Amino acid sequence: MTSLLRQFDQQSLAEIGRELHEFATELYPICRSITGDGIRRTLGIIGAKIQLQMSEVPSGTEVFDWTVPKEWNVRDAYIKNTAGRRVVDFRQSNLHVLNYSKPVHAKLSLSELKQHLFTLPEHPDWIPYRTSYYKLAWGFCLTHKQMLTLSEGEYEVCIDTTLENGSLTYGECCLPGRSSEEVVISCHACHPSLANDNLSGLAVASALAQLLSGKDLRYSYRFLFIPGTIGAITWLARNRENVSRIRHGLVLTCVGDAGGFHYKKSRRGNAEIDQAMAYALQHCGETSEILEFTPYGYDERQYCSPGFNLPVGCLMRSVWGTFPEYHTSADNLDFIHPDQLARSLRLCVSLVDVLENNRHYLSQNPFCEPQLGKRNLYSSTGGKSIDEEINARLWTLNFSDGKHSLLDIAERSGLPFASICDAARLLSEGGLLVETSGEV
Ligand SMILES: [Zn+2]
């Protein structure tokens, strides 16, 4: 079988991890949102690595039950005390401004100001990340410690933002394969300085696209870099006619933290991507857990909405909302690790290997075993043990009934998927198997 993983493993994992982390570091300072120059700049940086096709969808465009919002951009934001000193300063952290705040410039008492402040009393040193995309509001996020230092008095608040007709931006990287059937990898790119929830997915997906570029691929691959929720909804609304091409899909996020893997299955629950990911996880040498589909989470919510019901799962390490750093300033560059990023990329490569090589065959000699000896198929090709090779051929012959995929046969036999794929190739070269669609 063609093994992308074998090629991947020839490189140093430490070096790959360092590059992934450096890429996240480059993207980290940008103030992103679901629209605006932050996401454009981010896509520009990704587009310097891989070929990205950019789309701009005007504010006001109806996308299913939603409307593309006005475009939001931020120049500056601060709270000044009576001495004129900035006590909260957007220039120090882009999390300080409530994302999508309307512009405001006013003088307020402390009690009036407090109605617009968000803190995390349980983590007094962290700044929370808050948004108000679809309800016009303004506010500041700050550490609880910072808030406790604010004394009575008059404060000058300034949020220098624009919220005007513009557009929603997303980027697509399309890698053509031999088939027009697609594998879609989707990542949200709308969070400001948050590393695991956002940047880890962008870094791993960009690197995967880079790895697959120029390769002879069975499937076509489409990488989507989109704002969360509204981006996926917009993409689906504009590509409604094309989604039948999607054979497998994966939402990629939170893949850089120290936790083990979690894979949330597609709504179908038994899609090939679910089986392939379970297999890849089982053999990746790390702890992992498979979760059933729920209609809450990342953009799999949109891809798996009942009208689409696409075979799209979601890969994470720690699950969103379960780690205290989630949606806070503690989800920073120290929270994601080069080694974990590299291992997440490695898992994705092994998943692609399974998808690329998983096929169905039909035995041309189903009545009793065919005589392998007279076809020179009862001897070793070298490399693996003769027992494993012959065993793999017998299993593949027996279960190539058009219903069992090679992955089914690997699972049932307990033999490595690669051995089953090698056996299938030899047997079909020997005229004993013919590939089928698997839709028997
Ligand atoms: Zn998030």
mmCIF file of all heavy atoms in Angstrom, residues 199-239:
data_model
loop_
_atom_site.group_PDB
_atom_site.id
_atom_site.type_symbol
_atom_site.label_atom_id
_atom_site.label_comp_id
_atom_site.label_asym_id
_atom_site.label_seq_id
_atom_site.Cartn_x
_atom_site.Cartn_y
_atom_site.Cartn_z
ATOM 1 N N LEU A 199 -5.923 27.878 16.977
ATOM 2 C CA LEU A 199 -4.650 27.853 16.256
ATOM 3 C C LEU A 199 -4.079 26.452 16.079
ATOM 4 O O LEU A 199 -3.456 26.156 15.055
ATOM 5 C CB LEU A 199 -3.617 28.740 16.966
ATOM 6 C CG LEU A 199 -4.008 30.219 17.089
ATOM 7 C CD1 LEU A 199 -2.914 31.001 17.773
ATOM 8 C CD2 LEU A 199 -4.311 30.808 15.718
ATOM 9 N N SER A 200 -4.312 25.561 17.054
ATOM 10 C CA SER A 200 -3.749 24.209 16.919
ATOM 11 C C SER A 200 -4.342 23.534 15.682
ATOM 12 O O SER A 200 -3.629 22.886 14.909
ATOM 13 C CB SER A 200 -4.025 23.387 18.181
ATOM 14 O OG SER A 200 -5.415 23.139 18.331
ATOM 15 N N GLY A 201 -5.652 23.705 15.488
ATOM 16 C CA GLY A 201 -6.310 23.115 14.317
ATOM 17 C C GLY A 201 -5.796 23.725 13.019
ATOM 18 O O GLY A 201 -5.528 23.014 12.049
ATOM 19 N N LEU A 202 -5.623 25.056 13.027
ATOM 20 C CA LEU A 202 -5.137 25.738 11.819
ATOM 21 C C LEU A 202 -3.733 25.261 11.454
ATOM 22 O O LEU A 202 -3.426 25.024 10.281
ATOM 23 C CB LEU A 202 -5.123 27.262 12.025
ATOM 24 C CG LEU A 202 -6.474 27.934 12.310
ATOM 25 C CD1 LEU A 202 -6.288 29.437 12.468
ATOM 26 C CD2 LEU A 202 -7.472 27.632 11.208
ATOM 27 N N ALA A 203 -2.886 25.108 12.481
ATOM 28 C CA ALA A 203 -1.497 24.697 12.231
ATOM 29 C C ALA A 203 -1.455 23.265 11.693
ATOM 30 O O ALA A 203 -0.768 22.983 10.699
ATOM 31 C CB ALA A 203 -0.672 24.812 13.517
ATOM 32 N N VAL A 204 -2.196 22.361 12.332
ATOM 33 C CA VAL A 204 -2.151 20.949 11.911
ATOM 34 C C VAL A 204 -2.797 20.780 10.528
ATOM 35 O O VAL A 204 -2.253 20.083 9.659
ATOM 36 C CB VAL A 204 -2.817 20.042 12.981
ATOM 37 C CG1 VAL A 204 -3.014 18.630 12.464
ATOM 38 C CG2 VAL A 204 -1.958 20.022 14.249
ATOM 39 N N ALA A 205 -3.930 21.451 10.295
ATOM 40 C CA ALA A 205 -4.597 21.321 8.994
ATOM 41 C C ALA A 205 -3.731 21.896 7.870
ATOM 42 O O ALA A 205 -3.619 21.292 6.798
ATOM 43 C CB ALA A 205 -5.959 22.010 9.026
ATOM 44 N N SER A 206 -3.101 23.054 8.118
ATOM 45 C CA SER A 206 -2.244 23.649 7.084
ATOM 46 C C SER A 206 -1.082 22.709 6.755
ATOM 47 O O SER A 206 -0.729 22.526 5.587
ATOM 48 C CB SER A 206 -1.642 24.981 7.539
ATOM 49 O OG SER A 206 -2.637 25.841 7.992
ATOM 50 N N ALA A 207 -0.496 22.113 7.804
ATOM 51 C CA ALA A 207 0.638 21.208 7.581
ATOM 52 C C ALA A 207 0.190 19.952 6.838
ATOM 53 O O ALA A 207 0.910 19.433 5.973
ATOM 54 C CB ALA A 207 1.283 20.840 8.916
ATOM 55 N N LEU A 208 -1.007 19.467 7.149
ATOM 56 C CA LEU A 208 -1.522 18.277 6.455
ATOM 57 C C LEU A 208 -1.750 18.597 4.968
ATOM 58 O O LEU A 208 -1.389 17.804 4.089
ATOM 59 C CB LEU A 208 -2.830 17.797 7.111
ATOM 60 C CG LEU A 208 -3.431 16.524 6.539
ATOM 61 C CD1 LEU A 208 -2.508 15.324 6.740
ATOM 62 C CD2 LEU A 208 -4.802 16.223 7.165
ATOM 63 N N ALA A 209 -2.310 19.782 4.707
ATOM 64 C CA ALA A 209 -2.532 20.192 3.316
ATOM 65 C C ALA A 209 -1.194 20.291 2.577
ATOM 66 O O ALA A 209 -1.072 19.860 1.422
ATOM 67 C CB ALA A 209 -3.272 21.521 3.271
ATOM 68 N N GLN A 210 -0.196 20.803 3.273
ATOM 69 C CA GLN A 210 1.138 20.919 2.679
ATOM 70 C C GLN A 210 1.717 19.532 2.346
ATOM 71 O O GLN A 210 2.279 19.327 1.275
ATOM 72 C CB GLN A 210 2.060 21.595 3.696
ATOM 73 C CG GLN A 210 2.747 22.810 3.171
ATOM 74 C CD GLN A 210 3.606 23.475 4.237
ATOM 75 O OE1 GLN A 210 3.490 23.207 5.434
ATOM 76 N NE2 GLN A 210 4.472 24.351 3.790
ATOM 77 N N LEU A 211 1.517 18.607 3.294
ATOM 78 C CA LEU A 211 2.024 17.243 3.097
ATOM 79 C C LEU A 211 1.367 16.543 1.914
ATOM 80 O O LEU A 211 1.995 15.765 1.203
ATOM 81 C CB LEU A 211 1.730 16.410 4.357
ATOM 82 C CG LEU A 211 2.757 16.411 5.448
ATOM 83 C CD1 LEU A 211 2.177 15.820 6.721
ATOM 84 C CD2 LEU A 211 3.941 15.572 5.000
ATOM 85 N N LEU A 212 0.065 16.813 1.724
ATOM 86 C CA LEU A 212 -0.677 16.114 0.670
ATOM 87 C C LEU A 212 -0.542 16.800 -0.687
ATOM 88 O O LEU A 212 -0.857 16.203 -1.716
ATOM 89 C CB LEU A 212 -2.168 16.008 1.048
ATOM 90 C CG LEU A 212 -2.501 15.227 2.326
ATOM 91 C CD1 LEU A 212 -4.013 15.157 2.539
ATOM 92 C CD2 LEU A 212 -1.927 13.817 2.274
ATOM 93 N N SER A 213 -0.075 18.061 -0.684
ATOM 94 C CA SER A 213 0.056 18.807 -1.938
ATOM 95 C C SER A 213 0.999 18.081 -2.892
ATOM 96 O O SER A 213 2.087 17.660 -2.483
ATOM 97 C CB SER A 213 0.617 20.213 -1.692
ATOM 98 O OG SER A 213 -0.305 20.957 -0.958
ATOM 99 N N GLY A 214 0.568 17.942 -4.123
ATOM 100 C CA GLY A 214 1.431 17.349 -5.144
ATOM 101 C C GLY A 214 1.503 15.835 -5.096
ATOM 102 O O GLY A 214 2.186 15.211 -5.908
ATOM 103 N N LYS A 215 0.810 15.214 -4.119
ATOM 104 C CA LYS A 215 0.831 13.745 -4.026
ATOM 105 C C LYS A 215 -0.232 13.155 -4.972
ATOM 106 O O LYS A 215 -1.225 13.805 -5.292
ATOM 107 C CB LYS A 215 0.516 13.313 -2.590
ATOM 108 C CG LYS A 215 1.589 13.687 -1.583
ATOM 109 C CD LYS A 215 2.570 12.563 -1.398
ATOM 110 C CE LYS A 215 3.575 12.750 -0.287
ATOM 111 N NZ LYS A 215 4.080 14.055 0.025
ATOM 112 N N ASP A 216 0.017 11.918 -5.387
ATOM 113 C CA ASP A 216 -0.953 11.195 -6.196
ATOM 114 C C ASP A 216 -2.015 10.646 -5.231
ATOM 115 O O ASP A 216 -1.751 9.712 -4.491
ATOM 116 C CB ASP A 216 -0.232 10.056 -6.931
ATOM 117 C CG ASP A 216 -1.207 9.207 -7.716
ATOM 118 O OD1 ASP A 216 -2.258 9.719 -8.143
ATOM 119 O OD2 ASP A 216 -0.904 8.000 -7.910
ATOM 120 N N LEU A 217 -3.183 11.273 -5.212
ATOM 121 C CA LEU A 217 -4.191 10.947 -4.207
ATOM 122 C C LEU A 217 -5.420 10.306 -4.844
ATOM 123 O O LEU A 217 -5.816 10.667 -5.950
ATOM 124 C CB LEU A 217 -4.620 12.215 -3.457
ATOM 125 C CG LEU A 217 -3.504 12.949 -2.696
ATOM 126 C CD1 LEU A 217 -3.939 14.354 -2.334
ATOM 127 C CD2 LEU A 217 -3.110 12.158 -1.449
ATOM 128 N N ARG A 218 -6.006 9.393 -4.100
ATOM 129 C CA ARG A 218 -7.247 8.758 -4.565
ATOM 130 C C ARG A 218 -8.399 9.759 -4.483
ATOM 131 O O ARG A 218 -9.116 9.992 -5.437
ATOM 132 C CB ARG A 218 -7.527 7.558 -3.674
ATOM 133 C CG ARG A 218 -8.879 6.915 -3.902
ATOM 134 C CD ARG A 218 -9.108 5.885 -2.793
ATOM 135 N NE ARG A 218 -10.343 5.156 -2.946
ATOM 136 C CZ ARG A 218 -10.807 4.302 -2.023
ATOM 137 N NH1 ARG A 218 -10.112 4.094 -0.922
ATOM 138 N NH2 ARG A 218 -11.944 3.679 -2.204
ATOM 139 N N TYR A 219 -8.575 10.344 -3.324
ATOM 140 C CA TYR A 219 -9.644 11.329 -3.119
ATOM 141 C C TYR A 219 -9.142 12.739 -3.398
ATOM 142 O O TYR A 219 -7.943 13.015 -3.328
ATOM 143 C CB TYR A 219 -10.125 11.299 -1.656
ATOM 144 C CG TYR A 219 -10.891 10.054 -1.275
ATOM 145 C CD1 TYR A 219 -10.363 9.152 -0.353
ATOM 146 C CD2 TYR A 219 -12.151 9.791 -1.813
ATOM 147 C CE1 TYR A 219 -11.066 8.001 0.016
ATOM 148 C CE2 TYR A 219 -12.858 8.650 -1.451
ATOM 149 C CZ TYR A 219 -12.313 7.755 -0.535
ATOM 150 O OH TYR A 219 -13.002 6.638 -0.182
ATOM 151 N N SER A 220 -10.080 13.636 -3.661
ATOM 152 C CA SER A 220 -9.757 15.057 -3.656
ATOM 153 C C SER A 220 -9.904 15.544 -2.214
ATOM 154 O O SER A 220 -10.748 15.034 -1.476
ATOM 155 C CB SER A 220 -10.711 15.817 -4.565
ATOM 156 O OG SER A 220 -10.522 15.381 -5.899
ATOM 157 N N TYR A 221 -9.075 16.499 -1.839
ATOM 158 C CA TYR A 221 -9.102 16.998 -0.455
ATOM 159 C C TYR A 221 -9.458 18.479 -0.462
ATOM 160 O O TYR A 221 -8.954 19.240 -1.298
ATOM 161 C CB TYR A 221 -7.735 16.783 0.214
ATOM 162 C CG TYR A 221 -7.518 15.320 0.560
ATOM 163 C CD1 TYR A 221 -7.200 14.402 -0.434
ATOM 164 C CD2 TYR A 221 -7.705 14.850 1.853
ATOM 165 C CE1 TYR A 221 -7.062 13.046 -0.145
ATOM 166 C CE2 TYR A 221 -7.560 13.499 2.153
ATOM 167 C CZ TYR A 221 -7.240 12.608 1.152
ATOM 168 O OH TYR A 221 -7.112 11.270 1.449
ATOM 169 N N ARG A 222 -10.321 18.847 0.454
ATOM 170 C CA ARG A 222 -10.722 20.251 0.570
ATOM 171 C C ARG A 222 -10.522 20.677 2.022
ATOM 172 O O ARG A 222 -11.129 20.112 2.935
ATOM 173 C CB ARG A 222 -12.193 20.410 0.176
ATOM 174 C CG ARG A 222 -12.678 21.864 0.183
ATOM 175 C CD ARG A 222 -14.164 21.928 -0.179
ATOM 176 N NE ARG A 222 -14.402 21.368 -1.501
ATOM 177 C CZ ARG A 222 -14.314 22.057 -2.644
ATOM 178 N NH1 ARG A 222 -14.013 23.328 -2.609
ATOM 179 N NH2 ARG A 222 -14.549 21.476 -3.797
ATOM 180 N N PHE A 223 -9.649 21.645 2.233
ATOM 181 C CA PHE A 223 -9.411 22.176 3.574
ATOM 182 C C PHE A 223 -10.165 23.490 3.690
ATOM 183 O O PHE A 223 -9.983 24.385 2.858
ATOM 184 C CB PHE A 223 -7.913 22.397 3.812
ATOM 185 C CG PHE A 223 -7.142 21.106 3.902
ATOM 186 C CD1 PHE A 223 -6.770 20.426 2.752
ATOM 187 C CD2 PHE A 223 -6.809 20.567 5.133
ATOM 188 C CE1 PHE A 223 -6.073 19.217 2.832
ATOM 189 C CE2 PHE A 223 -6.112 19.373 5.230
ATOM 190 C CZ PHE A 223 -5.745 18.695 4.082
ATOM 191 N N LEU A 224 -11.010 23.594 4.712
ATOM 192 C CA LEU A 224 -11.802 24.810 4.916
ATOM 193 C C LEU A 224 -11.290 25.547 6.148
ATOM 194 O O LEU A 224 -11.202 24.967 7.231
ATOM 195 C CB LEU A 224 -13.275 24.454 5.134
ATOM 196 C CG LEU A 224 -14.004 23.782 3.976
ATOM 197 C CD1 LEU A 224 -15.433 23.429 4.393
ATOM 198 C CD2 LEU A 224 -14.026 24.697 2.771
ATOM 199 N N PHE A 225 -10.970 26.815 5.962
ATOM 200 C CA PHE A 225 -10.564 27.681 7.079
ATOM 201 C C PHE A 225 -11.640 28.759 7.173
ATOM 202 O O PHE A 225 -11.684 29.673 6.332
ATOM 203 C CB PHE A 225 -9.177 28.266 6.813
ATOM 204 C CG PHE A 225 -8.119 27.217 6.639
ATOM 205 C CD1 PHE A 225 -7.743 26.784 5.370
ATOM 206 C CD2 PHE A 225 -7.515 26.629 7.739
ATOM 207 C CE1 PHE A 225 -6.778 25.794 5.211
ATOM 208 C CE2 PHE A 225 -6.544 25.640 7.594
ATOM 209 C CZ PHE A 225 -6.177 25.225 6.324
ATOM 210 N N ILE A 226 -12.506 28.618 8.152
ATOM 211 C CA ILE A 226 -13.750 29.400 8.155
ATOM 212 C C ILE A 226 -14.059 29.927 9.555
ATOM 213 O O ILE A 226 -13.626 29.346 10.550
ATOM 214 C CB ILE A 226 -14.934 28.509 7.696
ATOM 215 C CG1 ILE A 226 -14.977 27.228 8.543
ATOM 216 C CG2 ILE A 226 -14.849 28.160 6.225
ATOM 217 C CD1 ILE A 226 -16.138 26.326 8.239
ATOM 218 N N PRO A 227 -14.818 31.013 9.630
ATOM 219 C CA PRO A 227 -15.298 31.409 10.954
ATOM 220 C C PRO A 227 -16.297 30.377 11.480
ATOM 221 O O PRO A 227 -17.083 29.830 10.696
ATOM 222 C CB PRO A 227 -15.962 32.760 10.705
ATOM 223 C CG PRO A 227 -16.224 32.834 9.245
ATOM 224 C CD PRO A 227 -15.219 31.953 8.569
ATOM 225 N N GLY A 228 -16.249 30.104 12.779
ATOM 226 C CA GLY A 228 -17.117 29.092 13.388
ATOM 227 C C GLY A 228 -18.594 29.413 13.168
ATOM 228 O O GLY A 228 -18.987 30.566 13.054
ATOM 229 N N THR A 229 -19.396 28.400 13.106
ATOM 230 C CA THR A 229 -20.856 28.455 12.933
ATOM 231 C C THR A 229 -21.269 29.201 11.668
ATOM 232 O O THR A 229 -21.628 28.556 10.679
ATOM 233 C CB THR A 229 -21.556 29.051 14.184
ATOM 234 O OG1 THR A 229 -21.107 28.319 15.323
ATOM 235 C CG2 THR A 229 -23.071 28.902 14.096
ATOM 236 N N ILE A 230 -21.201 30.528 11.660
ATOM 237 C CA ILE A 230 -21.698 31.287 10.507
ATOM 238 C C ILE A 230 -20.874 30.958 9.252
ATOM 239 O O ILE A 230 -21.413 30.949 8.138
ATOM 240 C CB ILE A 230 -21.724 32.817 10.804
ATOM 241 C CG1 ILE A 230 -22.417 33.595 9.684
ATOM 242 C CG2 ILE A 230 -20.326 33.368 11.066
ATOM 243 C CD1 ILE A 230 -23.890 33.398 9.591
ATOM 244 N N GLY A 231 -19.599 30.644 9.432
ATOM 245 C CA GLY A 231 -18.743 30.295 8.284
ATOM 246 C C GLY A 231 -19.166 28.958 7.685
ATOM 247 O O GLY A 231 -19.268 28.821 6.456
ATOM 248 N N ALA A 232 -19.389 27.971 8.546
ATOM 249 C CA ALA A 232 -19.796 26.650 8.058
ATOM 250 C C ALA A 232 -21.182 26.738 7.406
ATOM 251 O O ALA A 232 -21.425 26.146 6.354
ATOM 252 C CB ALA A 232 -19.805 25.650 9.214
ATOM 253 N N ILE A 233 -22.064 27.513 8.031
ATOM 254 C CA ILE A 233 -23.416 27.677 7.481
ATOM 255 C C ILE A 233 -23.333 28.360 6.112
ATOM 256 O O ILE A 233 -23.986 27.951 5.147
ATOM 257 C CB ILE A 233 -24.309 28.471 8.465
ATOM 258 C CG1 ILE A 233 -24.561 27.636 9.732
ATOM 259 C CG2 ILE A 233 -25.622 28.890 7.809
ATOM 260 C CD1 ILE A 233 -25.223 28.388 10.876
ATOM 261 N N THR A 234 -22.493 29.394 6.023
ATOM 262 C CA THR A 234 -22.331 30.119 4.752
ATOM 263 C C THR A 234 -21.753 29.198 3.682
ATOM 264 O O THR A 234 -22.237 29.156 2.553
ATOM 265 C CB THR A 234 -21.422 31.350 4.962
ATOM 266 O OG1 THR A 234 -22.017 32.172 5.973
ATOM 267 C CG2 THR A 234 -21.249 32.155 3.686
ATOM 268 N N TRP A 235 -20.729 28.440 4.042
ATOM 269 C CA TRP A 235 -20.104 27.539 3.069
ATOM 270 C C TRP A 235 -21.124 26.500 2.586
ATOM 271 O O TRP A 235 -21.240 26.249 1.380
ATOM 272 C CB TRP A 235 -18.868 26.847 3.669
ATOM 273 C CG TRP A 235 -18.132 26.062 2.623
ATOM 274 C CD1 TRP A 235 -17.189 26.535 1.762
ATOM 275 C CD2 TRP A 235 -18.334 24.680 2.283
ATOM 276 N NE1 TRP A 235 -16.796 25.531 0.907
ATOM 277 C CE2 TRP A 235 -17.477 24.389 1.203
ATOM 278 C CE3 TRP A 235 -19.167 23.670 2.773
ATOM 279 C CZ2 TRP A 235 -17.416 23.121 0.608
ATOM 280 C CZ3 TRP A 235 -19.111 22.406 2.189
ATOM 281 C CH2 TRP A 235 -18.239 22.138 1.122
ATOM 282 N N LEU A 236 -21.881 25.938 3.530
ATOM 283 C CA LEU A 236 -22.870 24.917 3.151
ATOM 284 C C LEU A 236 -23.963 25.517 2.257
ATOM 285 O O LEU A 236 -24.407 24.899 1.295
ATOM 286 C CB LEU A 236 -23.481 24.275 4.402
ATOM 287 C CG LEU A 236 -22.568 23.271 5.112
ATOM 288 C CD1 LEU A 236 -23.065 22.971 6.520
ATOM 289 C CD2 LEU A 236 -22.448 21.968 4.315
ATOM 290 N N ALA A 237 -24.372 26.756 2.575
ATOM 291 C CA ALA A 237 -25.419 27.402 1.774
ATOM 292 C C ALA A 237 -24.936 27.635 0.344
ATOM 293 O O ALA A 237 -25.706 27.506 -0.604
ATOM 294 C CB ALA A 237 -25.827 28.727 2.417
ATOM 295 N N ARG A 238 -23.649 27.957 0.207
ATOM 296 C CA ARG A 238 -23.126 28.257 -1.134
ATOM 297 C C ARG A 238 -22.685 27.004 -1.888
ATOM 298 O O ARG A 238 -22.362 27.065 -3.061
ATOM 299 C CB ARG A 238 -21.930 29.214 -1.020
ATOM 300 C CG ARG A 238 -22.287 30.522 -0.360
ATOM 301 C CD ARG A 238 -21.061 31.383 -0.258
ATOM 302 N NE ARG A 238 -20.970 32.310 -1.368
ATOM 303 C CZ ARG A 238 -19.824 32.715 -1.912
ATOM 304 N NH1 ARG A 238 -18.684 32.236 -1.497
ATOM 305 N NH2 ARG A 238 -19.831 33.594 -2.886
ATOM 306 N N ASN A 239 -22.632 25.878 -1.204
ATOM 307 C CA ASN A 239 -22.138 24.646 -1.839
ATOM 308 C C ASN A 239 -23.134 23.500 -1.713
ATOM 309 O O ASN A 239 -22.761 22.329 -1.765
ATOM 310 C CB ASN A 239 -20.799 24.237 -1.215
ATOM 311 C CG ASN A 239 -19.704 25.212 -1.570
ATOM 312 O OD1 ASN A 239 -19.114 25.133 -2.642
ATOM 313 N ND2 ASN A 239 -19.468 26.170 -0.684
#
